[in-house]
Amino acid sequence: AAVCRELTKRFEEVVRDRLDALATAFSERTVKGEIVVCIARSEVQTQPEDLKDELREAMSRLRLKDAAREVADRFGVSRRDLYQMGLEIEADS
């Protein structure tokens, strides 16, 4: 993540670090000016079994189509693959 302050101005400042480190650093100081926080998408790989667990939980609340969309959006994986996984889960039940 990055905290950008006073972009294109004389006192421009850009601080990059993990979110927790940025939160700690900025909680200890007074900051003035226009501030923008930029957060990059996580590159963490999700295991298929974790996706199945998430999909099962979502399917307990939603239709399969909606559950697949929700989990796909949250983890950045293929909606079609999750839909197929959901069909397998339903067949096993």
Side-chain angles (χ1 to χ4, degrees):
V3 175
C4 310
R5 187 178 72 81
E6 294 295 310
L7 290 176
T8 72
K9 297 183 178 141
R10 182 176 178 192
F11 299 105
E12 179 177 313
E13 175 185 23
V14 177
V15 181
R16 292 178 181 88
D17 208 335
R18 292 185 344 260
L19 281 174
D20 58 342
L22 289 171
T24 301
F26 280 88
S27 70
E28 299 169 353
R29 59 186 264 207
T30 302
V31 183
K32 294 182 181 180
E34 298 169 351
I35 298 170
V36 175
V37 178
C38 300
I39 302 172
R41 178 173 248 176
S42 174
E43 297 297 325
V44 176
Q45 295 293 325
T46 307
Q47 298 300 317
E49 196 56 43
D50 295 335
L51 286 175
K52 269 189 177 179
D53 292 341
E54 291 292 328
L55 186 57
R56 278 188 195 101
E57 189 279 324
M59 287 170 63
S60 70
R61 303 180 280 109
L62 305 165
R63 296 180 317 162
L64 174 55
K65 178 181 175 182
D66 298 326
R69 178 182 300 121
E70 180 182 287
V71 175
D73 290 346
R74 193 166 359 134
F75 291 97
V77 296
S78 165
R79 189 177 348 175
R80 182 173 183 240
D81 292 345
L82 285 172
Y83 189 85
Q84 292 300 317
M85 187 183 290
L87 290 175
E88 292 171 12
I89 290 171
E90 286 180 341
D92 291 341
S93 297

